[in-house]
Amino acid sequence: MPKERPDLAPLALLGAVALLAWPLIGSGSTWATLTLAGLAMGLIVFIIASGLTLVFGLMDVLNFGHGLFIALGAFVATSVLGAGGWLFDWSISPSVLANLGAVAIACTVGMAVAAGVGLAFERVLVRPVYGLHLKQILITMGGMIVGEELLKMQYGSQLVPLPMPESLRGSFVLGDVAVERFRVLAMLVGVAVLLGLLWVLNRTKVGLLIRAGVQDREMVESLGYRIRRLFVGTFVVGSALAGLGGVLWGLYQQGVTPRIGHEVNVLLFIVIIIGGLGSTAGCLVGALLVGLVANYTGFLAPKAALFSNIALMVLVLLWRPEGLYPVARRAG
């Protein structure tokens, strides 16, 4: 059978937004700086949202408690990087390798903690409500609220500083274009997460079994495969990605509060609605669009930046009501 042609219209939209902003901004160097900053922000949002879209796309679970895992990752980073001793020395050292090592350890621990809590979250709260979307929304949102209160008990309700490691501060200057060092790191991590997800889902047996289980769970189970374990693993991976994104988002904001996950949650759902529920490619394009529009609008009309993402979502849905890359409806 002939292969379907790839849908390039969403990518064209991404390019059109960037090109239309150029004459409005005026300065080419300012436009390039804002564009790179927007892409970096978009890739951080993609890392966080990829876990959410993975859980919905493969498990059909609306997890409104996703913000809890973001907050866990961010607070673990404050504990790890500010714990004192040798690791704290790594984070304030001028050595690039030492700083990257400290951030890598913080990301690893944040992902591990988020994954462990995600496992308990799935078993206690999500498992009883598979297939019941309204109950999923209510119980997962309740779980996030309880988690936030527990974080307040441990860390307090005030802003907890999360300073950037020494060598990740400042910018790379290319001519008149300045690119923050941390944003470059965030872009590299975002691209790595994207490539890893695409490889696992499209090139491995595990990805094939998960996609097959979504389409016809009973048939796959009849062949002797334990789909429940695969789905639990998917939820854990989604939680770990949220933890990784939480670490990066906390460093990006250079501060963490217990409501950080709640605040980012709204942005995540805007992204996955724009991209198409359950679509990894749509999640990427949606996150990049949100990052670019937020940066351009913040520069051109700061007061409009507060609702720019909602306006973007409305315009995209008027064009494509099911999102940029709608996922085919499940059989049965």
Side-chain angles (χ1 to χ4, degrees):
M1 294 179 64
K3 293 183 179 180
E4 293 184 5
R5 293 183 178 180
D7 185 359
L8 300 180
L11 296 177
L13 173 63
L14 190 63
V17 168
L19 291 177
L20 287 173
W22 193 340
L24 296 175
I25 294 171
S27 169
S29 59
T30 302
W31 172 83
T33 299
L34 289 172
T35 299
L36 290 172
L39 293 176
M41 175 185 171
L43 284 168
I44 295 176
V45 173
F46 165 73
I47 293 171
I48 306 173
S50 62
L52 184 61
T53 201
L54 187 70
V55 168
F56 179 80
L58 299 180
M59 300 175 63
D60 198 25
V61 171
L62 285 170
N63 181 19
F64 275 63
H66 197 69
L68 173 60
F69 310 122
I70 301 169
L72 282 171
F75 273 108
V76 165
T78 65
S79 298
V80 171
L81 294 178
W86 61 275
L87 189 55
F88 181 72
D89 292 339
W90 277 19
S91 66
I92 62 175
S93 167
S95 168
V96 175
L97 290 178
N99 287 178
L100 291 177
V103 172
I105 292 173
C107 289
T108 302
V109 178
M111 291 177 70
V113 171
V117 174
L119 177 61
F121 198 88
E122 190 277 338
R123 289 192 171 184
V124 176
L125 298 180
V126 177
R127 186 171 296 183
V129 293
Y130 276 127
L132 305 171
H133 286 164
L134 179 58
K135 290 185 178 181
Q136 288 171 3
I137 293 172
L138 294 174
I139 199 167
T140 56
M141 186 174 291
M144 182 177 70
I145 293 172
V146 172
E148 285 182 357
E149 294 304 314
L150 292 175
L151 287 173
K152 287 180 183 178
M153 291 174 59
Q154 176 66 28
Y155 295 97
S157 58
Q158 302 302 315
L159 179 72
V160 178
L162 181 56
M164 193 84 69
E166 185 66 29
S167 64
L168 295 180
R169 301 174 188 174
S171 303
F172 295 111
V173 179
L174 305 173
D176 294 329
V177 179
V179 185
E180 291 184 22
R181 295 177 180 179
F182 177 74
R183 294 178 190 264
V184 174
L185 175 64
M187 293 172 74
L188 293 175
V189 175
V191 171
V193 169
L194 172 64
L195 295 177
L197 283 176
L198 293 177
W199 178 74
V200 170
L201 293 176
N202 298 306
R203 300 291 182 181
T204 67
K205 183 177 180 180
V206 171
L208 176 63
L209 287 173
I210 293 174
R211 289 184 288 116
V214 169
Q215 295 297 327
D216 195 335
R217 177 172 179 168
E218 290 77 12
M219 179 61 72
V220 177
E221 286 181 335
S222 69
L223 295 175
Y225 295 104
R226 298 183 178 182
I227 291 299
R228 180 179 293 276
R229 288 189 178 182
L230 287 174
F231 280 8
V232 171
T234 299
F235 194 93
V236 170
V237 169
S239 303
L241 287 173
L244 171 61
V247 175
L248 296 176
W249 189 260
L251 287 169
Y252 177 76
Q253 299 288 335
Q254 298 193 44
V256 181
T257 67
R259 289 184 58 82
I260 185 173
H262 183 85
E263 295 165 356
V264 176
N265 240 13
V266 177
L267 184 62
L268 299 184
F269 278 95
I270 289 175
V271 165
I272 66 172
I273 289 171
I274 289 174
L277 293 175
S279 169
T280 302
C283 177
L284 173 66
V285 177
L288 294 179
L289 276 172
V290 163
L292 289 176
V293 169
N295 275 266
Y296 294 149
T297 309
F299 178 80
L300 296 169
K303 293 183 179 179
L306 294 174
F307 57 86
S308 62
N309 293 326
I310 296 176
L312 173 64
M313 180 179 69
V314 171
L315 292 174
V316 169
L317 294 182
L318 287 174
W319 174 39
R320 291 191 171 183
E322 295 186 353
L324 297 176
Y325 287 107
V327 176
R329 297 184 182 276
R330 292 174 175 81

